Amino acid sequence: MALNYTKEVMDHFLNPRNIGTIENPDAYTEVGNPTCGDMLSMYLKVKEIDNKKIIEDLKFLSFGCASNISTASMLTTQVIGKTLEEAKAFSFKEVMDELGGLPSQKIHCSVLAVEALQDVIKKYEESNK
Ligand code: FES
């Protein structure tokens, strides 16, 4: 059965933003979904302005499905420039909304993208206490 992807999902799948790696990242993570087997790596660079920690750069590599690529791509565009505190409150629903929705069996792909974001921030905070 063909899945109904929105124009935005297809655009981020075919032209992913912020895909790749960051040399000397401030933090790195790799997360996976055990059910579908898809994985996502995320690289974070943080800068400090006026005592606020800001996401300067965020890149990803996907080892997964079209929605995995698409949701990670959209998420990077939404959180680069945010403070870590703002990014920690970021929800998968914001990715879904901006993509114009996902087929129900693909919602977990957006959850995985947010898991990667939360985990890379956690790794950053653990190593910068
Ligand atoms: Fe699992 Fe997309 S099918 S991340």
Side-chain angles (χ1 to χ4, degrees), residues 4-128:
N4 273 331
Y5 286 123
T6 64
K7 188 161 88 325
E8 289 80 7
V9 172
M10 288 310 293
D11 178 37
H12 278 264
F13 168 50
L14 296 172
N15 307 292
R17 326 300 199 263
N18 302 305
I19 197 162
T21 62
I22 295 176
E23 226 173 289
N24 302 318
D26 293 322
Y28 162 80
T29 195
E30 210 172 84
V31 297
N33 180 303
T35 309
C36 67
D38 287 355
M39 297 193 54
L40 195 57
S41 303
M42 212 166 256
Y43 300 78
L44 172 70
K45 199 91 189 161
V46 174
K47 68 177 169 194
E48 212 166 315
I49 300 176
D50 297 335
N51 285 327
K52 281 192 183 144
K53 295 191 170 192
I54 313 265
I55 298 182
E56 181 180 17
D57 202 4
L58 186 67
K59 288 204 163 38
F60 74 96
L61 288 177
S62 163
F63 307 91
C65 70
S67 307
N68 178 303
I69 296 170
S70 190
T71 53
S73 166
M74 176 55 92
L75 174 142
T76 61
T77 67
Q78 291 174 290
V79 301
I80 289 174
K82 283 195 191 298
T83 64
L84 293 188
E85 290 314 308
E86 287 167 340
K88 282 199 270 185
F90 191 76
S91 151
F92 74 95
K93 293 200 183 81
E94 296 177 66
V95 181
M96 293 242 312
D97 286 352
E98 206 60 28
L99 286 171
L102 285 168
S104 58
Q105 61 271 55
K106 292 289 174 181
I107 291 172
H108 77 271
C109 313
S110 62
V111 174
L112 186 66
V114 173
E115 255 174 48
L117 172 69
Q118 303 307 347
D119 202 59
V120 80
I121 293 173
K122 189 170 134 219
K123 296 234 161 78
Y124 171 81
E125 291 185 330
E126 280 170 1
S127 60
N128 288 276

